[in-house]
Amino acid sequence: MNYKVVLLPGDGIGPEVTNAAVQVLKNVGSKFQIDFEFDEKLIGGASYEAFGNPLTDETLDACYKADVVFLGAVGGYKWESLPHELKPEAALLKLRKSLGLYANVRPAKVYKALVDGSTLKSDVLEGTDFIVLRELTGGIYFGQPRGYDESRGWNTMVYDKNEVKRIAQKAFELARLRNKQVTSVDKANVLEVSQFWRTIVHEVQKDFPDVELKDMYVDNAAMQIVRSPKQFDIILTSNLFGDILSDIAGMITGSLGMLPSASLGNKYALYEPVHGSAPDIAGQNKANPLAAIASVAMMFHYSLKIPKAAELVEEAIEKTLAQGLRTADIFSEGCKLVSTDEMTETILKNINTIFVENPVVV
Ligand code: IPM
Ligand code: MG
């Protein structure tokens, strides 16, 4: 099978982790008879430098023609004072909106080898495995009116019925494949838009009577994620709340450098590590490639629909961590500090060994 992947390495450590992801894609693809055809394009600050525009039509057109998009990271100090529409982040938002990627899946799961590496206690973490399902193309990120003048700044948090319905449906469908429990997170005690969200989510739940639904206020949810994360299966929430809660969830895994994501729509899909462009360590071969590599696992799972390939990548990550390899962000006493390249090479080796030991008949 031939599969077209558009690569958007972006800024900062984006190119380094994208390079790691490509090596893993090629390796695993060859084991499952998939030929990846890569098309690399600029996005974010890199695109602004080249064209004065963080997302060109050329990049967008390439994405429309692809089977799947992989993105590294966008942003950096250099572009922080640009007008809003020229900022690297604006490119990511436009891309999400243009491709209709309304469902952002951010899994927070504990890797056994890292359970002592987190700032959270291991008995709190052990067994944690939940997904933050973030609405990605609506809410305050896109609501009109928006702007600022000399005396005021304003944004609008707005959701229409269909936007809430489709993300709620996705949450219940995902929950059915897992522990059948959805926690819908909102701020219905203060915000009308949240009250509306809550009403629609409950309406949708009537079609999924086998899935349990709880409501939780966002401030409480932030506390519960660090107090007792095991209670969650699917956290369903809006764009802004999901942005914040998924960073908190990153600490479940010990580092944002471990958190992968999938952004899914009806037609397109984009995979990206949740961590940003980390300009302070860019180009130094220090970045943790595991979030990008775990995003490849998600690609095999959600887009290519080859769960065995996804498991192979996941197992290689577990094994490499169990062998004690750590990039700086997850380093702890007694472990081996490695570079981006060393981590990636070991992952590739472990993929090969695991595959030879447990051959998968394709
Ligand atoms: C994320 C990021 C983005 C967001 C930025 C870079 C626009 O923080 O994907 O979580 O706010 O959605
Ligand atoms: Mg974020």
Side-chain angles (χ1 to χ4, degrees):
M1 183 166 85
N2 199 38
Y3 211 74
K4 264 198 210 147
V5 184
V6 164
L7 298 173
L8 306 175
D11 308 318
I13 59 171
E16 294 162 76
V17 301
T18 302
N19 174 42
V22 168
Q23 293 185 56
V24 172
L25 265 177
K26 283 184 181 157
N27 179 316
V28 178
S30 71
K31 293 181 171 59
F32 290 83
Q33 271 85 63
I34 295 170
D35 259 332
F36 287 108
E37 191 184 306
F38 297 103
D39 186 8
E40 190 172 319
K41 297 282 177 219
L42 295 176
I43 192 168
S47 173
Y48 175 78
E49 294 301 321
F51 307 113
N53 177 354
L55 179 65
T56 60
D57 286 347
E58 189 194 325
T59 295
L60 205 49
D61 283 347
C63 294
Y64 287 134
K65 288 188 199 121
D67 291 311
V68 76
V69 180
F70 185 93
L71 186 135
V74 293
Y77 313 127
K78 210 174 154 184
W79 306 289
E80 270 171 11
S81 52
L82 284 175
H84 244 71
E85 63 283 6
L86 294 178
K87 282 197 169 84
E89 288 78 4
L92 185 53
L93 298 181
K94 186 174 168 195
L95 187 64
R96 289 171 179 169
K97 190 77 174 175
S98 306
L99 299 180
L101 307 171
Y102 66 87
N104 185 211
V105 184
R106 298 185 164 186
K109 122 178 163 181
V110 178
Y111 288 99
K112 282 186 212 88
L114 290 185
V115 82
D116 292 317
S118 172
T119 50
L120 298 173
K121 291 200 184 89
S122 56
D123 61 321
V124 171
L125 287 181
E126 248 151 0
T128 297
D129 179 358
F130 66 85
I131 286 176
V132 177
L133 183 68
R134 169 188 178 194
E135 198 292 324
L136 203 60
T137 52
I140 199 165
Y141 270 54
F142 294 94
Q144 293 290 347
R146 60 191 299 160
Y148 64 91
D149 58 25
E150 307 78 53
S151 47
R152 288 194 323 145
W154 60 94
N155 285 91
T156 306
M157 199 190 248
V158 55
Y159 271 110
D160 69 33
K161 192 168 178 175
N162 286 333
E163 285 176 314
V164 183
K165 246 176 114 171
R166 64 183 182 181
I167 191 73
Q169 272 160 351
K170 195 86 179 174
F172 292 117
E173 280 161 16
L174 273 179
R176 267 192 177 154
L177 306 173
R178 298 170 46 98
N179 288 330
K180 298 191 177 158
Q181 194 213 310
V182 171
T183 309
S184 173
V185 171
D186 61 40
K187 189 72 186 171
N189 49 346
V190 178
L191 305 176
E192 286 80 355
V193 57
S194 279
Q195 188 58 59
F196 177 77
W197 170 283
R198 192 178 276 211
T199 307
I200 305 300
V201 172
H202 280 264
E203 261 176 49
V204 174
Q205 195 261 341
K206 291 190 187 123
D207 295 333
F208 299 84
D210 52 320
V211 180
E212 189 195 343
L213 170 64
K214 278 190 206 151
D215 300 296
M216 197 178 273
Y217 296 134
V218 63
D219 46 354
N220 184 30
M223 192 257 284
Q224 296 296 340
I225 288 174
V226 286
R227 192 188 76 93
S228 167
K230 277 193 269 269
Q231 67 183 287
F232 296 110
D233 181 23
I234 305 280
I235 295 181
L236 161 66
T237 194
S238 60
N239 207 341
L240 178 63
F241 297 160
D243 178 46
I244 298 164
L245 295 181
S246 60
D247 267 31
I248 303 178
M251 289 323 291
I252 302 282
T253 60
S255 161
L256 257 191
M258 298 296 302
L259 210 61
S261 83
S263 303
L264 311 171
N266 293 333
K267 186 152 182 229
Y268 302 101
L270 177 144
Y271 295 84
E272 68 178 305
V274 173
H275 61 68
S277 57
D280 50 324
I281 57 162
Q284 298 173 33
N285 200 13
K286 279 185 185 165
N288 185 349
L290 294 180
I293 292 171
S295 301
V296 166
M298 291 188 84
M299 191 189 291
F300 279 115
H301 185 81
Y302 289 98
S303 282
L304 287 134
K305 301 197 170 27
I306 315 178
K308 292 273 178 227
E311 279 163 33
L312 180 59
V313 178
E314 286 291 344
E315 275 179 42
I317 296 175
E318 284 281 5
K319 183 165 180 184
T320 307
L321 290 170
Q323 288 166 341
L325 275 76
R326 301 283 187 277
T327 42
D329 59 314
I330 49 171
F331 182 75
S332 61
E333 276 293 307
C335 292
K336 185 174 180 233
L337 182 65
V338 295
S339 65
T340 312
D341 289 344
E342 284 169 303
M343 183 66 100
T344 309
E345 276 156 30
T346 309
I347 291 277
L348 295 170
K349 260 188 224 149
N350 282 333
I351 288 174
N352 293 340
T353 328
I354 296 167
F355 192 74
V356 170
E357 283 166 5
N358 314 278
V360 177
V361 185
V362 195

